[in-house]
């Protein structure tokens, strides 16, 4: 009898334990539903979904503040920049066509000049058309991919400008300091290698700076106080560590900026001393005139470049920095064709022949249609 009662008690205890075992999860689930708490299973499943922190994102779009003004002023700004872009595009294109069409200009100096005009044309076309489109449509946003593409091409053609000016300084150094060996040293093969090397170094340097941006996360406020995606301004928006990016920028600036500038300075140091040793005043003037246009472009290029750097360092988000960027990205490429054509007799003759041929060709077409 005692054994029977004991076994029944054990069975009753087991049933109660089993009931409690199933009731506890049900009660917990009910309580979680009452307090709107996520279930454990749901939380475990969502653990494997890529998560974003509260203040970081992969920056689908950037906002280019640019020239924030009223609609009337925006219309004036649009007309001004459109005119400047058309002048830049037409001037550099005419320089390229004049050099290609005139056999008298098939020399190393004009070969380098045609490449410089092409680089200036592309340098301006990287930023200005997008800015004009933003003003016209009143939409100042640019996608993440578009911003990276703009950084890459802007840096590439900016570095190419710098390297081409260095190559042209070396060409002037050889022409003035070693005139007897000029035609032998500056042969077509060397000229082609210098241009190819300039392109490769520019693309590699720009690619290195652009790829390091891909590792960054950005804050939710993605406003750039410029009319284009400037690399330094984009890095200021990053929430992650930018130490590697800064190291890459300093390295690229040293290789693609300081070294070419040192080469230009050394070339003109030798050129000035060689010209001062010339006894004839007429020969001195001719020697200075051959490098005067290039020296003017170098001064304008580096002067505006240093102006952008100093203005951004002194006042990071001021109008001064924006105006300096306009000078660097638009005014310098626009003035280069005028500097090389107005002070160069051979270039003015080539442009005159090109325009006369174009006028004659248009006259023939008009006569044929009539």
């Amino acid at each position: 009898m005692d054994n029977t009662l004991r076994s029944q008690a054990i069975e009753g205890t087991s049933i109660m334990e089993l009931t409690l075992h199933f009731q506890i999860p049900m009660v917990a689930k009910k309580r979680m539903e009452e307090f709107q708490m996520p279930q454990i299973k749901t939380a475990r499943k969502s653990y494997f979904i890529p998560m974003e922190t509260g203040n970081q994102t992969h920056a689908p779009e950037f906002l280019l503040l640019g020239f924030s003004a009223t609609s009337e002023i925006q219309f004036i700004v649009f007309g001004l920049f459109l005119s400047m872009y058309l002048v830049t595009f037409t001037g550099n294109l005419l320089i390229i066509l004049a050099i290609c069409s005139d056999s008298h200009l098939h020399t190393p100096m004009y070969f380098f000049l045609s490449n410089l005009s092409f680089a200036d044309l592309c340098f301006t076309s990287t930023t200005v058309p997008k800015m004009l489109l933003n003003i016209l449509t009143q939409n100042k946003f640019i996608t993440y991919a578009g911003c990276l593409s703009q950084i890459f091409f802007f840096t590439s053609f900016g570095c190419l400008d710098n390297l081409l000016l260095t190559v042209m300084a070396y060409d002037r150094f050889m022409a003035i300091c070693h005139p007897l060996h000029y035609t032998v040293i500056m042969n077509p093969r060397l000229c082609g290698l210098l241009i190819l090397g300039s392109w490769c170094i520019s693309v590699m340097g720009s690619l290195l700076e652009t790829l390091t941006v891909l590792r960054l996360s950005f804050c939710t406020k993605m406003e750039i106080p410029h009319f284009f995606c400037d690399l330094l301004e984009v890095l200021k928006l990053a929430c992650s560590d930018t130490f590697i990016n800064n190291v890459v920028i300093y390295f690229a600036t040293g290789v693609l900026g300081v070294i070419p500038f040192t080469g230009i300075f050394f070339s003109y140091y030798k050129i000035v001393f060689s010209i001062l040793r010339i006894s004839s005043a007429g020969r001195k003037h001719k020697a200075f005139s051959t490098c005067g246009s290039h020296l003017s472009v170098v001064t304008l290029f580096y002067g505006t470049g240093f102006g952008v750097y100093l203005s951004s360092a002194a006042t990071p988000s001021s109008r001064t920095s924006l105006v300096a960027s306009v000078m660097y990205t638009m005014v310098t490429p626009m003035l280069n064709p005028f500097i090389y054509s107005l002070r160069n007799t051979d270039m003015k003759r080539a442009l005159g022949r090109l325009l006369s041929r174009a006028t004659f060709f248009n006259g023939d077409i008009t006569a044929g249609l009539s």
Side-chain angles (χ1 to χ4, degrees), residues 45-353:
K45 181 182 289 186
S46 65
Y47 177 79
F48 296 99
I49 298 175
M51 300 175 63
E52 293 182 352
T53 57
N55 64 341
Q56 293 182 1
T57 178
H58 285 292
E61 286 185 334
F62 290 95
L63 177 62
L64 301 175
L65 297 179
F67 298 91
S68 300
T70 61
S71 57
E72 293 81 6
I73 299 178
Q74 289 280 2
F75 179 76
I76 297 174
V77 170
F78 177 81
L80 176 63
F81 287 145
L82 178 61
S83 303
M84 294 173 65
Y85 178 68
L86 292 177
V87 170
T88 303
F89 190 91
T90 305
N92 284 285
L93 184 62
L94 286 176
I95 292 290
I96 296 172
L97 293 176
I99 293 173
C100 293
S101 61
D102 197 327
S103 59
H104 296 91
L105 301 182
H106 292 175
T107 60
M109 182 179 72
Y110 293 108
F111 174 67
F112 297 140
L113 177 59
S114 63
N115 282 270
L116 180 67
S117 296
F118 179 75
D120 283 337
L121 193 152
C122 295
F123 181 70
T124 307
S125 299
T126 302
T127 57
V128 178
K130 175 60 178 174
M131 179 192 66
L132 295 175
L133 181 63
N134 290 347
I135 296 176
L136 190 64
T137 60
Q138 295 297 314
N139 180 13
K140 297 184 179 182
F141 286 96
I142 184 172
T143 62
Y144 180 68
C147 187
L148 288 181
S149 300
Q150 200 172 70
I151 289 174
F152 171 75
F153 288 109
F154 181 81
T155 308
S156 295
F157 292 115
C159 293
L160 183 60
D161 261 354
N162 191 22
L163 293 175
L164 288 175
L165 289 174
T166 308
V167 170
M168 295 173 74
Y170 174 72
D171 174 72
R172 293 299 84 204
F173 163 74
M174 293 302 303
I176 295 175
C177 299
H178 304 281
L180 299 178
H181 305 284
Y182 175 74
T183 55
V184 177
I185 296 175
M186 300 301 296
N187 55 73
R189 182 174 179 273
L190 178 61
C191 294
L193 289 176
L194 289 173
I195 294 298
L196 180 62
S198 299
W199 275 93
C200 292
I201 294 173
S202 301
V203 171
M204 292 299 293
S206 177
L207 192 63
L208 182 63
E209 292 185 3
T210 306
L211 289 179
T212 54
V213 180
L214 296 175
R215 53 178 291 274
L216 299 177
S217 298
F218 294 90
C219 301
T220 54
K221 187 179 181 181
M222 295 169 289
E223 296 180 352
I224 300 175
H226 278 283
F227 59 90
F228 66 97
C229 280
D230 183 58
L231 178 58
L232 296 179
E233 296 295 335
V234 171
L235 292 182
K236 292 178 183 178
L237 303 177
C239 295
S240 53
D241 185 27
T242 59
F243 175 75
I244 296 177
N245 300 78
N246 292 327
V247 170
V248 170
I249 289 175
Y250 289 137
F251 174 77
T253 303
V255 174
L256 301 176
V258 177
I259 294 178
F261 178 76
T262 305
I264 294 174
F265 181 80
F266 177 77
S267 297
Y268 275 100
Y269 171 79
K270 291 290 187 180
I271 288 172
V272 169
F273 272 87
S274 296
I275 293 176
L276 292 178
R277 287 198 296 264
I278 299 176
S279 57
S280 173
R283 292 179 59 192
K284 282 184 179 181
H285 177 74
K286 184 178 179 181
F288 273 119
S289 63
T290 57
C291 56
S293 299
H294 177 260
L295 188 59
S296 301
V297 172
V298 168
T299 304
L300 187 62
F301 180 82
Y302 282 102
T304 53
F306 284 127
V308 170
Y309 174 77
L310 293 176
S311 62
S312 61
T315 51
S317 59
S318 66
R319 291 287 178 181
T320 306
S321 177
L322 187 60
V323 172
S325 298
V326 172
M327 290 289 295
Y328 183 71
T329 56
M330 296 188 65
V331 177
T332 301
M334 182 184 69
L335 293 180
N336 286 352
F338 293 100
I339 294 173
Y340 277 105
S341 60
L342 295 178
R343 301 188 60 178
N344 191 309
T345 306
D346 294 333
M347 182 59 65
K348 286 191 289 187
R349 290 174 181 171
L351 287 172
R353 285 191 289 267

